[in-house]
Amino acid sequence: MKILTIILTLLTVISTEASELKDERVIRKTMDVENPENFYLEIRNIQGDVIVKPSAGTTLELEVVITITAEKEEDLQRGIKEMSLLEVVKKTKAFYSVDAPFITHHWDGEKLRGFSSNSSNAGYIYKYDFVVKVPSEINLKAGTVDNGHITISDITGDIEAANVNGNIRIQGAQEVINANTINGKVDIIYGANPTKDGNFHSINGDITLGLQEGFNAQVQTKSMNGEFFSAFDFEYLQPSITVNTSKKGNGTTYKIGEKPSVQIGKAGPKLSFETLNGDVYLKRS
């Protein structure tokens, strides 16, 4: 496995209008992926975009633009020194994330469970914009939190995408396992109809799937203030009932929840949708 790393400092300028100092750096990395269909790539961002595109051949090409802004020169220089790229690369997986003294990554063995960040006293603002080109068969997990969107194009492996304050747009996919955001839209256009189960959530935003003819699936929907729209004929199924138990005092409390289900076509994967203030659309691509 060959890995090449390039770091470029683009500029440090003073904007007199905003009395703001700004620094931009570019980190570029390339590596060969031996078996793309068995390779797992994870990108965890906090502030900024994550864009993933297909590459030619079996090469992974990563570019990260790190932007740091501050009002004082000493704060800017501290940001330049502190902000870096966390990289973990092995034969069958690669992991990239934001790294700084105020960011803690919580690992469970080799799996990242999450991270915590408190930059309120840093004195500077940072933003990372990831652009990655990968073999289309790769398995991908991409996430960001603020000031950015997730955009994934023509990746046919398993996809998981998570955002908080931003949109998720996936085009040309085949298997989207999870796509979740809080304040944003989820737009997915399938290049081929899914065959695996998928979960799609948004609190404040619509969820739209563009699907091919011959689409088959069992669809479950749940929304407080949204509606379900389908361009495909469907039949209502008996509600799926789950029983959750909890201990209270000397007894047991049972809570039964229902999620309406419909069948589109015959059999197929189970697709689950949940929104609070948003609609769900199943469209023909």
Side-chain angles (χ1 to χ4, degrees), residues 5-253:
T5 302
I6 301 174
I7 302 177
L8 302 174
T9 299
L10 289 187
L11 53 89
T12 301
V13 298
I14 298 177
S15 172
T16 56
E17 183 176 335
S19 298
E20 183 180 80
L21 293 164
K22 179 179 179 181
D23 178 85
E24 287 188 0
R25 285 177 294 156
V26 178
I27 299 177
R28 294 191 178 99
K29 294 178 176 288
T30 62
M31 62 178 289
D32 297 325
V33 179
E34 295 179 2
N35 298 297
E37 64 277 5
N38 295 320
F39 194 85
Y40 181 84
L41 171 65
E42 182 172 357
I43 300 171
R44 289 287 191 100
N45 199 1
I46 297 178
Q47 303 274 352
D49 295 326
V50 177
I51 300 173
V52 182
K53 306 175 183 179
S55 67
T58 58
T59 301
L60 184 154
E61 303 173 19
L62 180 140
E63 179 180 283
V64 186
V65 178
I66 303 176
T67 304
I68 300 171
T69 56
E71 294 183 358
K72 298 179 181 179
E73 178 65 27
E74 57 266 33
D75 291 335
L76 181 70
Q77 293 303 319
R78 185 170 62 255
I80 293 171
K81 181 180 179 180
E82 290 184 344
M83 301 306 303
S84 62
L85 180 68
L86 177 61
E87 176 185 34
V88 180
V89 176
K90 298 188 176 181
K91 188 174 182 180
T92 59
K93 63 180 66 175
F95 173 87
Y96 298 97
S97 184
V98 179
D99 202 13
F102 51 79
I103 298 173
T104 302
H105 294 82
H106 304 286
W107 297 91
D108 182 3
E110 295 185 355
K111 188 172 183 180
L112 180 69
R113 291 299 182 184
F115 51 71
S116 54
S117 171
N118 184 3
S119 61
S120 58
N121 297 320
Y124 58 84
I125 298 173
Y126 67 90
K127 186 172 184 283
Y128 282 48
D129 291 314
F130 286 80
V131 178
V132 191
K133 294 182 179 180
V134 296
S136 60
E137 306 95 333
I138 210 167
N139 300 299
L140 173 68
K141 186 173 184 177
T144 191
V145 178
D146 280 319
N147 300 319
H149 305 297
I150 295 177
T151 306
I152 301 170
S153 303
D154 300 318
I155 302 300
T156 58
D158 292 350
I159 296 173
E160 297 181 70
N163 204 342
V164 176
N165 295 309
N167 300 327
I168 295 174
R169 180 169 177 80
I170 303 173
Q171 186 165 359
Q174 181 167 335
E175 306 295 352
V176 179
I177 308 303
N178 289 292
N180 306 313
T181 187
I182 293 179
N183 298 307
K185 298 184 296 183
V186 176
D187 291 311
I188 301 171
I189 300 176
Y190 284 88
N193 286 328
T195 62
K196 297 181 180 181
D197 295 350
N199 292 283
F200 311 90
H201 292 224
S202 179
I203 301 298
N204 297 305
D206 295 337
I207 301 174
T208 303
L209 268 58
L211 300 147
Q212 307 292 321
E213 292 296 334
F215 170 59
N216 299 295
Q218 180 181 327
V219 176
Q220 295 182 331
T221 61
K222 182 179 180 180
S223 180
M224 181 174 291
N225 299 308
E227 297 184 79
F228 171 67
F229 301 90
S230 174
F232 300 88
D233 293 336
F234 60 81
E235 296 180 356
Y236 286 101
L237 301 175
Q238 290 293 329
S240 176
I241 300 177
T242 58
V243 180
N244 299 316
T245 63
S246 61
K247 294 292 184 180
K248 188 174 182 180
N250 296 324
T252 301
T253 300

